[in-house]
Amino acid sequence: MKFILENTDQKSKARTGVVKTDHGDIQTPIFMPVGTAGSVKAVHQRELTYDIKAQIILGNTYHLYLRPGLDVLEKAGGLHKFNGWNKPILTDSGGYQVFSLAGTRKITEEGVLFKSHIDGSKHKFTPENVMDIQRSIGADIIMAFDECTPYPCEFGYARKSMEMTHRWLKRCIDQVDSTEGKYGYSQALFPIVQGSVYKDLRKQSAEFVASCGREGNAIGGLSVGEPAEMMYEMTELVTDILPEDKPRYLMGVGTPANILECIALGVDMFDCVMPTRNARNGMLFTSEGIMNMRNEKWKDDFSPIDPNINSHVSSFYSKAYLRHLTVSKEILAAQIASVHNLSFYLWLVAEAREKIKAGEFAVWKDEMVKKVSRRL
């Protein structure tokens, strides 16, 4: 995997670039739709490609390991062939899911013992076998095994957790460097910066991660309940340390405003379940603001959902029709809303990219943050 840095904004730290993988190029800044179990919920791969214009999607190691299981994925020839997506895929390490199972897991230096949420069966994740699992899934970008600390989190716990994450990272690197991919294409390992909301820990972690010299780097443990300003402060501190010539991935972030503010801080890659999860609950993100599709005000509004978005769904279906489907609890409502929200997110980062290239990002960003944050 290679990263080519193209443009840097003069009035912020925003930048454009290209991540080159064996499954195609990714234009940054980019948003990555989350396909937890090998599927972006309620969205066809055809829509991901042609309507949403996604360039990379995520798979979740924890969920895919449990179901369908590595035997099925290996027989299929990896996740790309299993789900029919021929562009890049990133897999998270499963750490966040395991650590969210607070009552059914045990963390040790060796790894994590946990029970499946499906059938209660016992499993063990270690830095080594999580690298092997992601090799088997077949992602183009694989994430190091880390502990995602909660918020709030005591300094002592955050420090011990970060130090263990660093020791785990060394083991992840050793395992990846001593093994080969299963399907004939390269797989890049991204380490993850931790340290909760403590500046000295974040600085220490970012410096350690940067020293590992991997193809890209990630920032984890944010957007877990801390105030947005604190998230921005930690993000800026870390992006100032991580190397300029490697892509920077801020994990699990976030709202459209979060994404714009963090692009301005030098982040290149984002993912979040928000566009699809909120879509299934009738919340739409648009270029003019946020809409609750259950509201009476959309009942006889026959204008397109969002004519500014170059997406068939956004410009074809009316607000009134989508409201009708939403209050009727029709499955099509979730599909239309999910495709629209993802189309909007991909439109937003594409617009950001064009504004950075044109030298107009800073002013545009401030205007857009106000627009995308307001309730319509």
Side-chain angles (χ1 to χ4, degrees):
M1 193 203 85
K2 294 180 181 177
F3 177 66
I4 300 168
L5 182 62
E6 293 181 326
N7 308 96
T8 303
D9 185 52
Q10 297 301 307
K11 296 180 180 178
S12 72
K13 297 169 185 174
R15 61 226 213 120
T16 71
V18 181
V19 178
K20 301 182 96 51
T21 78
D22 289 347
H23 279 102
D25 293 353
I26 305 159
Q27 311 287 325
T28 63
I30 192 63
F31 179 81
M32 303 179 282
V34 177
T36 302
S39 153
V40 178
K41 285 185 171 57
V43 179
H44 289 289
Q45 268 72 323
R46 182 185 67 249
E47 292 167 322
L48 278 172
T49 302
Y50 299 110
D51 223 12
I52 295 164
K53 300 176 179 66
Q55 299 176 45
I56 175 174
I57 62 173
L58 265 70
N60 182 271
T61 294
Y62 168 84
H63 289 281
L64 291 167
Y65 161 78
L66 291 176
R67 190 168 51 193
L70 301 185
D71 56 338
V72 172
L73 289 168
E74 288 182 359
K75 286 176 185 175
L79 184 57
H80 289 92
K81 290 186 177 177
F82 186 59
N83 72 357
W85 175 256
N86 60 8
K87 295 185 180 185
I89 294 175
L90 180 150
T91 43
D92 67 12
S93 69
Y96 180 81
Q97 281 69 33
V98 168
F99 301 122
S100 67
L101 302 169
T104 59
R105 48 86 169 155
K106 181 181 179 183
I107 304 172
T108 68
E109 184 67 32
E110 176 62 18
V112 182
L113 294 166
F114 64 95
K115 289 183 180 178
S116 164
H117 72 286
I118 299 168
D119 60 9
S121 56
K122 292 181 180 179
H123 303 269
K124 186 177 185 179
F125 273 0
T126 68
E128 291 81 8
N129 76 6
V130 165
M131 297 302 97
D132 294 342
I133 290 166
Q134 291 184 83
R135 288 279 204 206
S136 291
I137 293 170
D140 299 88
I141 300 171
I142 64 181
M143 304 305 300
F145 193 50
D146 67 327
E147 180 182 3
C148 179
T149 50
Y151 177 85
C153 173
E154 293 289 334
F155 177 85
Y157 183 88
R159 179 175 57 80
K160 287 181 181 178
S161 173
M162 178 201 73
E163 289 170 349
M164 184 173 68
T165 287
H166 291 175
R167 292 192 296 273
W168 284 359
L169 173 56
K170 289 180 181 178
R171 290 164 59 188
C172 290
I173 290 170
D174 288 345
Q175 186 68 11
V176 166
D177 288 350
S178 64
T179 58
E180 296 288 335
K182 293 179 182 291
Y183 310 113
Y185 52 86
S186 62
Q187 296 174 295
L189 172 65
F190 281 26
I192 303 172
V193 176
Q194 289 290 351
S196 187
V197 292
Y198 300 103
K199 289 183 181 179
D200 50 348
L201 296 184
R202 283 285 172 181
K203 180 175 183 292
Q204 185 181 339
S205 188
E207 288 171 348
F208 180 79
V209 161
S211 74
C212 292
R214 306 311 294 192
E215 296 97 323
N217 299 298
I219 307 167
L222 294 175
S223 192
V224 291
E226 79 282 357
E229 291 308 316
M230 196 173 278
M231 174 177 73
Y232 299 147
E233 184 182 10
M234 294 300 110
T235 299
E236 183 169 26
L237 188 157
V238 171
T239 56
D240 283 348
I241 296 169
L242 293 179
E244 286 188 1
D245 62 345
K246 306 286 177 65
R248 303 163 181 156
Y249 164 31
L250 181 57
M251 305 179 75
V253 176
T255 67
N258 291 159
I259 288 172
L260 291 173
E261 295 291 4
C262 291
I263 288 173
L265 300 175
V267 174
D268 306 297
M269 302 169 71
F270 302 86
D271 81 285
C272 190
V273 298
M274 187 173 284
T276 46
R277 179 176 290 169
N278 287 24
R280 297 193 301 275
N281 293 315
M283 178 183 283
L284 262 65
F285 299 100
T286 77
S287 58
E288 298 298 325
I290 301 166
M291 298 192 299
N292 180 347
M293 296 317 297
R294 292 188 175 86
N295 284 355
E296 187 81 12
K297 68 185 295 182
W298 312 120
K299 186 176 182 179
D300 56 2
D301 186 335
F302 302 107
S303 63
I305 295 168
D306 189 344
N308 294 324
I309 308 303
N310 184 22
S311 155
H312 171 74
V313 161
S314 306
S315 58
F316 181 80
Y317 293 107
S318 71
K319 299 179 180 76
Y321 181 58
L322 182 54
R323 179 188 181 273
H324 158 69
L325 295 176
T326 302
V327 297
S328 302
K329 298 182 179 179
E330 283 289 335
I331 293 172
L332 185 57
Q335 291 181 281
I336 291 173
S338 296
V339 173
H340 164 74
N341 276 355
L342 288 173
S343 297
F344 165 72
Y345 268 63
L346 269 294
W347 170 85
L348 188 68
V349 293
E351 284 289 295
R353 179 178 169 82
E354 293 307 311
K355 297 298 181 183
I356 295 166
K357 287 160 68 174
E360 302 167 355
F361 175 77
V363 172
W364 173 83
K365 186 268 291 183
D366 289 341
E367 293 174 356
M368 284 304 297
V369 165
K370 293 175 186 174
K371 275 189 178 183
V372 299
S373 302
R374 67 189 180 189
R375 298 273 176 162
L376 297 178

